[in-house]
């Protein structure tokens, strides 16, 4: 993808009581009514809701989110079916979304959609480029809000649309949604038999759709439109052989996979990665066999008393920054979902202050606050006085503040996720080897006894060696980290997490947590030099590191880190049914929920929650 540019929210105006775009000199919907237009053009044109009956899942692609009224109306109709409705995946692109305040004002004029509108507004994301997944009705409805340039983002999507809402402002003033490159991508994203509906019947549109495999028909229009268009993707388009050749030229990574014969998976490792992917698949009805060499979950790096959760921006909004932002927002969703189901999930989202260590770093952090992908809801710059007041520490050069970030207890995160996982079989205290077998994959004990088997296996063992006789040669390092906990906090409860050269988590369970060291040593015992290094972080923040800071706990754990510092997530090349979710480094709280959701989407045939270039960036196939 090209370098991201800041998203500019669309200004909201009205003309004759109807929301109007000054940019495109067009109304957002027909004067005859948005809900009626959606039902007459898009629902009827795609044979909905009749086609939902008997379907377990249904994917809809929309080329212009606008005010979200097509999504809200479709969701409203889906709700009317009750328990017989399919799991709805609604993928919608938008180049100029409304701000939360303007969207609230715009949707106030549609009382018939008040309930759905309220849920949408409460989940409205920070306006940054990329795929934002918003979950509703306990996960039965998912909106994939794809923000940014349509021409750039459509080639980055992976889905199999059952229906298409071809929408947008007039082709005269907004030609991109109706252009040949966009329609070619729309055809690529449709499964055979998919339908398409639109209010536009222009000749060039019909000819382009026909060229790319759609059979089009006209039908009576809505409002002032005499006709509307319906289409069905029912033949192989002329450029199909080009698509086949492209697939054969790039065999390392398949973006769409054949569904497994049964929803049954082996998961090796019960740290954050293993526990969360088990929970994600279990929620979708999978039977999980979780194998762990220790006697309970989260005994390695995931067993630290607290970890930091925040995005990691860059000046050019590169792949690592975009992945971290997507992971951060995904983890927030996981937390919100679990908070309603468990009372034991220690965490604090009071913010994170990244303290500048000197003037050059202050200039860099200030530039980050103005970089693409950086919005005030996620991060903003604080000058010295504000930073010191908020952090109760020395910050002579100022700080970068992440207001919705914070800390959480990764071990309790693991346990809370497993407690909500149905169809779970656990095998504690069992080191295993993994090998192919008649049923797919077999987990065997070190003496060779068969422990469990399934058609799918997921490597989630963290810093442990891969349990395979012919293991892939991934460039991973095993890096040691030591944390120190002290008895008394030098700052009031509720103080944000403080980062600089290391970190201080004031509200960590069991006492303030200081850390973490980073080296290649294999020493499993705590070291006094590392303790001194951690205590020195208090001095750097203007706090005395004298004897009054009595140490109550020290802990050593090992991280698995890839050469490019990105996680390894996806299907393992040359090993059918084998997947990986590993090399999370010191960012397990950011990578693990996102990786669990990515693998679940891959195995379930859902739209992938990441753009293709990001999927490729973390795939095991990148080392092939």
């Amino acid at each position: 993808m090209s370098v991201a540019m800041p998203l500019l929210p669309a200004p909201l105006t009205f003309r004759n009581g109807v929301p109007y775009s000054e940019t495109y000199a067009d109304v957002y919907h027909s004067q005859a009514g948005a809900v009626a237009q959606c039902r007459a053009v898009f629902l009827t044109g795609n044979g909905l809701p009749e086609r939902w009956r008997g379907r377990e899942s249904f994917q809809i692609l929309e080329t212009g989110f606008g005010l979200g009224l097509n999504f809200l109306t479709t969701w409203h109709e889906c709700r009317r079916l009750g328990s017989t409705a399919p799991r709805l995946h609604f993928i919608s692109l938008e180049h100029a979304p409304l701000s939360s305040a303007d969207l609230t004002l715009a949707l106030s004029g549609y009382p018939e959609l008040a309930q759905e509108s309220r849920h949408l507004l409460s989940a409205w994301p920070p306006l940054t480029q990329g795929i934002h997944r918003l979950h509703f009705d306990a996960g039965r409805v998912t909106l994939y809000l794809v923000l940014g340039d349509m021409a750039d983002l459509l080639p980055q999507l992976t889905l199999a649309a059952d229906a298409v809402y071809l929408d947008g402002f007039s082709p005269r003033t907004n030609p991109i949604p109706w252009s040949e490159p966009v329609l070619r991508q729309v055809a690529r994203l449709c499964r055979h038999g998919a339908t398409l509906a639109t209010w536009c019947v222009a000749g060039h549109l019909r000819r382009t759709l026909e060229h790319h495999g759609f059979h089009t028909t006209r039908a009576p229009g809505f409002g002032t439109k005499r006709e509307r268009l319906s289409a069905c993707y029912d033949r192989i388009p002329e450029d199909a052989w080009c698509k086949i050749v492209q697939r054969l030229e790039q065999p390392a990574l398949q973006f769409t996979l054949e569904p497994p014969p049964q929803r049954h998976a082996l998961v090796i490792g019960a740290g954050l990665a293993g526990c969360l992917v088990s929970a994600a698949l279990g929620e979708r009805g999978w039977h999980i066999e979780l194998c762990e060499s220790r006697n309970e979950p989260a005994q390695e790096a995931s067993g630290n008393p607290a970890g930091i959760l925040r995005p990691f921006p860059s000046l050019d909004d590169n792949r690592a920054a975009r992945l971290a932002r997507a992971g951060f927002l995904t983890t927030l969703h996981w937390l919100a979902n679990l908070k309603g189901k468990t009372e034991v999930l220690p965490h604090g989202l009071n913010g994170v202050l990244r303290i500048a260590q000197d003037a050059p770093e202050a200039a860099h952090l200030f530039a980050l606050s103005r970089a693409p992908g950086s919005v005030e809801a996620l991060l903003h710059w604080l000058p010295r006085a504000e930073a010191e007041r908020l952090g109760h520490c020395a910050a002579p050069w100022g700080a970068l503040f992440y207001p919705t970030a914070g800390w959480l207890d990764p071990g309790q995160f693991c346990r809370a996720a497993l407690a909500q996982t149905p169809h779970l079989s656990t095998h504690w205290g069992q080191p295993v080897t993994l090998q192919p077998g008649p049923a797919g994959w077999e987990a065997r004990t070190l003496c060779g006894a068969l422990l469990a088997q399934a058609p799918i296996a997921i490597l989630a063992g963290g810093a442990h060696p891969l349990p395979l006789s012919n293991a892939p040669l991934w460039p991973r390092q095993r890096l040691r980290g030591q944390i120190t906990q002290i008895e008394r906090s030098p700052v009031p409860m509720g103080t944000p997490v403080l980062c600089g050269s290391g970190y201080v988590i004031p509200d960590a369970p069991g006492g303030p947590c200081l850390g973490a060291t980073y080296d290649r040593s294999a020493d499993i015992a705590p070291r006094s030099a590392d303790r001194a290094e951690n205590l020195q972080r208090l001095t750097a923040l203007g706090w005395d590191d004298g004897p009054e800071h009595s140490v109550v706990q020290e802990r050593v754990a090992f991280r698995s880190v890839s050469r490019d510092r990105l996680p390894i997530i996806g299907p393992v090349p040359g090993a059918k049914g084998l997947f990986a979710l590993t090399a999370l480094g010191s960012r397990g709280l950011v990578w693990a929920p996102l990786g669990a959701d990515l693998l679940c989407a891959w195995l379930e045939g859902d739209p992938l929650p990441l753009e293709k270039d990001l999927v490729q960036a973390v795939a095991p196939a990148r080392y092939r």
Side-chain angles (χ1 to χ4, degrees):
M1 289 181 64
S2 58
V3 175
M5 298 299 292
L7 280 178
L8 300 177
L12 178 65
T13 59
F14 291 85
R15 178 163 295 187
N16 299 323
V18 176
Y20 181 82
S21 169
E22 297 286 354
T23 304
Y24 297 109
D26 197 5
V27 291
Y28 276 89
H29 59 76
S30 169
Q31 296 276 358
V35 175
Q37 180 184 32
C38 178
R39 287 177 174 149
V41 176
F42 298 109
L43 289 170
T44 300
N46 282 292
L48 304 176
E50 292 78 9
R51 289 176 61 211
W52 287 336
R53 301 186 188 279
R55 293 290 300 270
E56 183 177 336
S57 178
F58 199 89
Q59 300 182 24
I60 298 176
L61 173 65
E62 181 184 47
T63 56
F65 185 76
L67 308 181
L69 293 167
N70 289 338
F71 165 67
L72 294 171
T73 304
T74 303
W75 178 15
H76 184 83
E77 290 298 315
C78 199
R79 278 180 150 185
R80 292 174 61 180
L81 291 181
S83 60
T84 63
R87 186 180 291 267
L88 179 64
H89 300 274
F90 196 100
I91 306 94
S92 186
L93 295 102
E94 181 56 58
H95 177 64
L98 293 181
S99 67
S100 177
D102 281 348
L103 187 62
T104 300
L105 175 61
L107 294 180
S108 64
Y110 308 91
E112 62 270 55
L113 300 174
Q115 188 176 23
E116 291 82 6
S117 297
R118 184 170 64 254
H119 291 306
L120 174 63
L121 292 167
S122 66
W124 196 242
L127 300 184
T128 58
Q129 293 207 44
I131 301 172
H132 297 265
R133 285 182 307 147
L134 312 182
H135 303 272
F136 307 102
D137 290 352
R140 296 293 301 173
V141 173
T142 302
L143 169 63
Y144 302 71
L145 186 60
V146 187
L147 300 182
D149 184 83
M150 183 182 300
D152 285 343
L153 285 168
L154 268 174
Q156 294 285 335
L157 299 183
T158 304
L159 60 116
D162 298 287
V164 177
Y165 293 2
L166 196 61
D167 200 7
F169 293 112
S170 169
R172 297 191 310 277
T173 57
N174 185 29
I176 291 177
W178 318 96
S179 65
E180 193 278 336
V182 164
L183 296 175
R184 182 183 347 123
Q185 291 298 326
V186 167
R188 178 185 68 84
L189 294 171
C190 286
R191 69 171 83 241
H192 182 76
T195 58
L196 178 148
T198 181
W199 49 266
C200 181
V201 293
H204 74 88
L205 172 64
R206 289 184 284 106
R207 289 188 294 272
T208 306
L209 288 173
E210 293 278 358
H211 174 73
H212 288 297
F214 288 92
H215 174 69
T216 64
T217 57
R218 300 187 194 191
F222 173 79
T224 59
K225 297 288 184 181
R226 187 173 59 185
E227 293 179 313
R228 58 179 172 84
L229 199 66
S230 291
C232 181
Y233 190 64
D234 62 354
R235 65 180 176 85
I236 299 177
E238 294 178 10
D239 60 347
W241 284 110
C242 295
K243 296 180 184 178
I244 293 170
V245 169
Q246 289 169 3
R247 288 198 203 103
L248 294 175
E249 289 174 347
Q250 301 174 348
L253 178 62
Q254 289 179 275
F255 282 93
T256 55
L257 302 173
E258 291 294 325
Q262 50 184 299
R263 286 174 165 168
H264 188 190
L266 286 168
V267 177
I268 312 300
L272 272 171
C275 291
L276 298 191
V277 76
S278 296
L281 290 171
E283 191 273 333
R284 297 298 294 272
W286 284 62
H287 178 206
I288 304 299
E289 305 273 1
L290 179 60
C291 303
E292 168 57 49
S293 61
R294 305 290 286 270
N295 291 322
E296 56 183 309
Q299 294 302 293
E300 306 291 344
S302 300
N304 283 348
I308 298 174
L309 173 64
R310 71 171 177 93
F312 295 87
S314 70
L315 293 177
D316 59 352
D317 203 34
N318 59 29
R319 290 180 179 182
R322 290 161 52 210
L323 277 164
R325 184 168 64 242
F328 171 71
L329 295 173
T330 299
T331 305
L332 292 183
H333 163 71
W334 272 74
L335 286 176
N337 187 46
L338 283 174
K339 278 171 65 176
K341 301 176 181 178
T342 180
E343 297 179 358
V344 185
L345 186 55
H347 70 286
L349 300 180
N350 301 321
V352 171
L353 270 175
R354 184 178 171 189
I355 311 290
Q357 303 299 296
D358 50 34
E361 186 180 9
H364 174 71
L365 295 180
F366 180 80
L368 282 179
S369 70
R370 301 293 190 269
S374 298
V375 294
E376 191 164 351
L378 292 180
L379 70 158
H380 54 268
W381 174 254
L382 293 182
R384 174 178 181 173
E386 291 183 56
E388 293 186 341
R389 177 187 57 79
L390 188 61
H392 303 280
C393 64
W397 291 281
L400 195 61
F401 183 49
Y402 302 86
T404 57
W407 66 271
L408 67 114
D409 182 333
Q412 292 295 351
F413 193 11
C414 290
R415 294 179 183 91
L418 288 185
Q420 306 301 321
T421 304
H423 320 298
L424 175 67
S425 299
T426 54
H427 306 277
W428 303 119
Q430 294 284 359
V432 299
T433 60
L434 198 62
Q435 61 188 53
W441 290 94
E442 297 177 345
R444 293 186 174 271
T445 65
L446 297 186
C447 62
L450 180 64
L451 186 67
Q453 57 185 341
I456 299 296
I458 299 172
L459 302 169
H464 289 290
L466 297 176
L468 299 163
S469 58
N470 187 22
L473 299 177
W474 297 331
R476 299 188 303 159
Q477 296 182 29
R478 189 171 184 262
L479 299 181
R480 179 185 183 276
Q482 179 173 323
I483 59 124
T484 302
Q485 281 194 279
I486 58 177
E487 183 176 24
R488 182 178 59 83
S489 176
V491 295
M493 293 292 289
T495 299
V497 173
L498 305 172
C499 296
S501 57
Y503 60 79
V504 177
I505 305 176
D507 295 345
C513 185
L514 321 176
T517 60
Y518 224 87
D519 61 67
R520 291 185 173 87
S521 167
D523 192 353
I524 62 173
R527 300 186 302 211
S528 58
D530 289 359
R531 174 192 301 179
E533 181 180 336
N534 285 336
L535 290 174
Q536 179 61 29
R537 307 187 198 287
L538 300 176
T539 301
L541 292 167
W543 304 324
D544 181 24
D545 63 341
E548 68 272 24
H549 295 304
S550 55
V551 174
V552 296
Q553 179 186 212
E554 294 187 278
R555 193 173 190 277
V556 173
F558 294 87
R559 319 167 181 94
S560 175
V561 182
S562 70
R563 181 173 55 201
D564 58 10
R565 296 296 191 269
L566 293 179
I568 300 174
I569 308 171
V572 178
K576 183 178 180 181
L578 183 63
F579 291 76
L581 175 49
T582 187
L584 305 186
S586 56
R587 299 181 181 179
L589 292 174
V590 172
W591 302 136
L594 180 66
D597 284 359
L598 176 58
L599 292 189
C600 184
W602 225 323
L603 290 166
E604 280 287 289
D606 295 345
L608 294 192
L610 288 173
E611 298 94 309
K612 274 189 176 182
D613 64 331
L614 299 185
V615 175
Q616 289 171 322
V618 300
R622 71 188 191 266
Y623 298 120
R624 189 166 181 173

